[in-house]
Amino acid sequence: MNKVLSIAALSCLCMSCGNLSPEAKKIKGNYYNVQISAELPVFELNGDGTCIVRNIHPDVLTMEVAGTWNVENDSLIILNDLTSIKAKGDTSIMGDVVPRLTRKVVSSDGSVLILEKDGIEYLYNRKNTK
């Protein structure tokens, strides 16, 4: 188990060096699922390769985890830093956080990002914050 965490930590370190792929550079930004929250982004994909991912259950639980990200082949790859998990609300319903999150990028156009998991497509709206 420690070997797996060490490999994940090393991968996080390498990915955080700002070596984003050309595809990743096109989609960096904050992405919201407006059906869940217009105030908190689900994905904060930063230009330096760092990110924040949130699991939001309005008025019940908000959980966030920091990590690193990139786009490899046709997929968004996020390596979560499991030591950075923060939660507000009813933590009794909190599930496990995966060390590696992979979602196929179906499309992106600068304002919308569509990701696919298990045959289901999820739409995220991009908001630029400066």
Side-chain angles (χ1 to χ4, degrees):
M1 180 68 174
N2 286 338
K3 186 175 182 179
V4 172
L5 291 176
S6 297
I7 292 169
L10 180 61
S11 295
C12 284
L13 181 63
C14 291
M15 285 178 64
S16 68
C17 297
N19 295 324
L20 292 179
S21 68
E23 296 83 7
K25 290 177 184 177
K26 293 177 189 174
I27 67 167
K28 68 181 177 180
N30 295 335
Y31 290 92
Y32 297 74
N33 180 330
V34 294
Q35 295 174 333
I36 296 172
S37 175
E39 289 86 38
L40 284 175
V42 174
F43 297 108
E44 291 181 26
L45 305 175
N46 301 311
D48 64 358
T50 62
C51 64
I52 300 287
V53 177
R54 289 184 182 86
N55 189 345
I56 304 166
H57 298 274
D59 301 321
V60 179
L61 174 68
T62 299
M63 181 175 56
E64 70 179 41
V65 62
T68 58
W69 75 284
N70 209 341
V71 174
E72 298 174 11
N73 300 317
D74 63 350
S75 295
L76 171 64
I77 309 293
I78 295 175
L79 299 177
N80 289 316
D81 176 0
L82 301 181
T83 65
S84 72
I85 298 169
K86 297 178 186 173
K88 291 182 186 176
D90 183 2
T91 57
S92 69
I93 65 168
M94 194 168 88
D96 294 332
V97 177
V98 296
R100 179 183 169 104
L101 180 78
T102 304
R103 300 289 183 267
K104 180 180 178 186
V105 177
V106 175
S107 70
S108 65
D109 67 6
S111 62
V112 171
L113 175 64
I114 301 174
L115 301 176
E116 183 265 325
K117 178 188 175 202
D118 299 330
I120 300 171
E121 293 183 357
Y122 298 89
L123 175 96
Y124 302 94
N125 295 301
R126 180 177 177 186
K127 290 186 186 178
N128 292 325
T129 57
K130 294 188 178 192

